[in-house]
Amino acid sequence: MTSPKMVTSAKFTSFNKNTVYVIPISKKSDKLVIAETPIETSSLATVDLASVGVSVELEALVRLPAPNGATYALVGVGSKKLAIDDFRNLGASIARKLSSFKDVVVGLPTNDAKETAAIFEGAALGLYVHNKYKGLSKGTEIKLQSVTVISSHKPAPAALNEITVLAESVNLTRNLVNTPGRDMFPDSLAKAVQAAAKGTGVTTQIWNEERLAKEGLGGILGVGQGSSRGPRLVKLEYKPKVSKTHLALVGKGITFDTGGLSLKPSISMLGMHYDMTGAASVAAATIAIAKLQLPIRVTAWLCIAENMPSGTAQRPNDVIKARNGMTIEVLNTDAEGRLVLADGLSLASEAKPDYIVDVATLTGAVQIALGNRHAGLMGDQEAVDAVKLAAEDAGELVWQLPLAKELRSLIDSEIADIANVKMGNTAGGTIIGGLFLQEFVGNRAKGESDNIKWAHLDIAATANNDGAAYGVVPKGATGSHVRTLVALAKRIG
Ligand code: BES
Ligand code: ZN
Ligand code: ZN
C-alpha cells in the first residue's frame, strides 16, 4: 500500500467530480452547525443537519451531494478544541471511510503546520487494508490517490517525508504480521526483513542454526528445535557518521506460537502468527530511523523461531543455557518469548549500549491488566520515562507496571539458575515476564551494576485489533508502537 499524495492548497477553487469535500460539524448552543471551513457550503444552507443523521461525535461521517456531481462528507469535530491526536485520528477515519473516492479535499481549520501534518499522517496510517489473501471474493478496494488539506499552514517537505517514512514502516510491520504462519516462518521473516532493509543504510546479518549454536544461543535454539523450519537471529545495524547515543532494540519473533508441548487450547492458538510482532516492529523502526537519517546508532536483534510440538521439541523440565551463561529450567514451553529474548538481551548488552528497549507479545496477562490499547511498560525509570514521552509524541498509549521485587523468587528453580514460569501462579504475570527478562540485561544476573538503561514493552494486547478499525488503527495487525520507537530515537539521539 502506498500512501496517498499529500497536497496543501491555500484556497478552495471549485467542486470536481469524483472528489469528496470534508466539512467539519460542531455544536453551537445545542444546534448542529457547519464549523469554520474554507470550502463553499451554501448549498447546505437549507439542510436540517440532525435529520440526515449528522453528529458532532469525533469520526462520525455523513455524505451528502455537493455541486457539480461532487460529494460532501460532513465530519463531527466535537465541541472542544481539537488536540493533535484528534487531527491524526480524523485524518485516518476520513481517509478510510472515503477510500472509494479518488480525491479527498479536507476543509478542517488547522492552526499550524503540525495540525495539517497530523491530518496527513493519519490519512497515511489509516488507509490500510489486508487484502492479500482474498481470492474470488474481493476485499475493500482503495481508490484514494490524493488528500488535499486547504490551509495556509503548510508543513515543510521534511515533515511530509517523515510522515511517508513512518507510514511505510508501520505498514511494513502490518504486512509482515498479517501474513499467516504457513508463509511467514523463521527464514522467510529473516529474508523479508533483509529485503526491506536493502538500500536504506541498514546492514543485516542472518544467523542460521549452526551459527546460533556457535554463539551459544540456547534460548532461541531450544524454542526452535520442535519445528522443521529452524530458528534464526537477524542483526540489523544503522551507524550514522555522527552519533552520541547507541540504542539497542530486541524483538520477539515467534512466527507461530502453538505453545509447544505445553500446547495452547485451540481458541488461544488463533492469532498466534502475531507473535513475531516485536521483531517486525523493531526492524521497521530501525529502517525508518535510517531512512530519516537520525543521528543515533541503532542495533536491532530479532530473535526468531517457530514454537511447535513434535518429537524434537523441548520438554517441560528441560534445562537450557542462555547466551550470558545463565541456565533456565523450562517449566512451561508456552512461555517461550522470554527464552528467545534472554539470548537477544544478553547479546544486545555485550556492546554496552546506552539504552536497550525490547518489544514483545509476551503475556496474555497484559490484556487482563490494561485492556487492548495500552502496552505494558517496565524497566529502568530513566528508560521508561523516555519511552513514555516518545509514546506521547506518537499519540500511542503505554502504561508502566512495577518490577515488583517480591515476585522474583517465584521463578527460582531447584535445579537451574532460574525457571521460566511459576506453574499455577496467576498473580502479576506480565511483571514476572519483566523480572525474568531483567536478569539478562547487562551484568544484572551477577548482581553487578551496569550503565544500560533498559525498558520492556509488552505489546501482546495492542499488536492486533480484533474489532473494527478506529482512528489510525486498522483491523488485524496494528503496527502499534513502531512510531513510539522512532520518536524515542529522535528524543535520545
Ligand atoms: N505469545 C504468548 C502471549 C500472548 C497471549 C500474545 C495472547 C498475544 C495474545 C506467550 O508466548 C504466552 O503464551 N505466554 C503465556 C505465559 C505463561 C505461560 C506464563 C501466557 O500468557 O499465558
Ligand atoms: Zn507462548
Ligand atoms: Zn509467544
Side-chain angles (χ1 to χ4, degrees), residues 252 254 257 259 264 268 270-272 274-275 307 332-338 361-367 420-423 425 429 432 458-461 463:
K252 169 176 174 181
I254 303 300
D257 182 11
K264 285 182 183 293
S268 319
L270 285 179
M272 281 302 137
Y274 290 126
D275 217 20
N307 191 21
N332 187 330
T333 63
D334 195 13
E336 83 299 338
R338 60 197 72 184
T361 47
L362 203 72
T363 64
V366 76
Q367 186 193 29
N420 73 334
V421 298
K422 170 70 181 174
M423 289 306 274
N425 171 68
I432 292 175
D458 191 335
I459 56 163

Side-chain angles (χ1 to χ4, degrees), residues 83-94:
I84 202 84
D85 289 344
D86 297 327
F87 282 101
R88 210 185 269 119
N89 288 328
L90 278 168
S93 63
I94 287 167

Side-chain angles (χ1 to χ4, degrees), residues 26 37 39-40 43 66 124 141 166 178 185 220 226-227 241 259 268 338 371 441-442 452 485 492:
S26 63
T37 176
I39 294 174
E40 165 55 45
S43 67
E141 200 192 336
L166 287 174
N178 277 327
F185 44 94
I220 299 175
S227 173
K241 285 211 180 76
S268 319
R338 60 197 72 184
V441 178
I452 300 172
L485 296 175
I492 64 177

